[in-house]
Amino acid sequence: MLRTSNPALSEKIFRKSVAESGAQTMTINGSIQKTALLVFLTVAGASYTWSKFLSAGPEMVQGWMIGGAIGGFIAAMVIVFKRNLAKYVAPIYAVLEGLFLGAISAYFNAMFPAEGIVMRAIALTFGVLFAMLMLYRAGIIKPTKKFRAGVMAATGGVALVYFVTIIANMFGANLTFMYESSPLGIGISLVIVIIASLNLILDFDFIEKGSQAGLDKNMEWYAAFGLMVTLIWLYIEILRLLALFAGRD
């Protein structure tokens, strides 16, 4: 019942995280507050590399972008395997991912300066977040067993596409259809955006069920981290989708 396609938020994690008798437990408000803090830290990190790009040029942010991406991945793995460290490592993860997002956003902004795609991507990301939350709260989209299975399969398919693309590029095979402003490229990007959006429903359900199950208070940090993983993925895919549309002009 608590299964989710987000690897950071799984049923197994729930079973191992029920709070001991008398201990503080996870709440929805607590998870929201911690998510807001992680968003703030991500924006702070992004602001640094964004401003550095504008003042010093793209060469000065490449190291920050690569370091943020690799460091963020390492921090995420630490949290996944050592969830009791989430309250210490999740803020670090947010800052590192912010450094990466700020740099890559600045690159896209420089490529399409007249489009304003970065601000549009940010607005659409939070628009999708609140829209999916409203749909979840209204019961219009219910995280049923079949829904979970479908989202999990689709997310796994996207992960496989990412993996194959990376491996192909390593061996010199450029899968350009993934990045071209063609109907196929735009269609693939749009499908990925939809899949990322549906993952938000499972994240919301995880937080709600976690508070009802009386999980340990530290799981608020873990749940906030899991939601941030989805939001960052969603933002990157929306940014890429907007860039593909802009490239058709």
Side-chain angles (χ1 to χ4, degrees), residues 121-193:
I122 293 172
L124 284 171
T125 299
F126 283 100
V128 170
L129 171 66
F130 290 113
M132 299 306 286
L133 179 59
M134 292 300 101
L135 291 173
Y136 173 75
R137 296 300 297 171
I140 297 175
I141 299 181
K142 299 180 180 180
T144 62
K145 185 176 180 181
K146 289 184 178 180
F147 178 87
R148 287 190 180 88
V151 174
M152 289 175 65
T155 304
V158 173
L160 180 60
V161 170
Y162 287 155
F163 177 76
V164 171
T165 302
I166 293 173
I167 297 300
N169 288 336
M170 290 175 60
F171 287 94
N174 188 14
L175 301 181
T176 56
F177 70 89
M178 287 285 294
Y179 311 103
E180 291 178 345
S181 298
S182 62
L184 177 59
I186 291 175
I188 292 174
S189 182
L190 182 60
V191 169
I192 295 176
V193 167

Side-chain angles (χ1 to χ4, degrees), residues 226-240:
L227 183 55
M228 284 299 300
V229 170
T230 303
L231 283 176
I232 290 171
W233 177 31
L234 178 62
Y235 168 74
I236 292 174
E237 288 301 334
I238 289 178
L239 185 62
R240 189 168 73 89

Side-chain angles (χ1 to χ4, degrees), residues 58-133:
E59 301 83 10
M60 300 303 295
V61 300
Q62 289 181 0
W64 290 105
M65 181 176 69
I66 296 173
I70 296 175
F73 176 77
I74 294 173
M77 291 300 98
V78 170
I79 296 172
V80 169
F81 291 104
K82 295 289 184 180
R83 62 186 180 280
N84 59 304
L85 298 178
K87 62 181 177 181
Y88 306 112
V89 185
I92 298 174
Y93 165 82
V95 173
L96 290 171
E97 286 296 319
L99 294 174
F100 167 72
L101 293 178
I104 196 172
S105 297
Y107 275 106
F108 274 95
N109 185 66
M111 291 171 60
F112 307 101
E115 302 295 332
I117 63 173
V118 173
M119 293 306 300
R120 288 164 58 191
I122 293 172
L124 284 171
T125 299
F126 283 100
V128 170
L129 171 66
F130 290 113
M132 299 306 286
L133 179 59

Side-chain angles (χ1 to χ4, degrees), residues 27-50:
T27 65
I28 294 177
N29 286 337
S31 300
I32 293 173
Q33 292 169 4
K34 290 170 177 60
T35 301
L37 176 58
L38 294 185
V39 170
F40 172 79
L41 293 174
T42 302
V43 172
S47 299
Y48 176 78
T49 45
W50 175 277

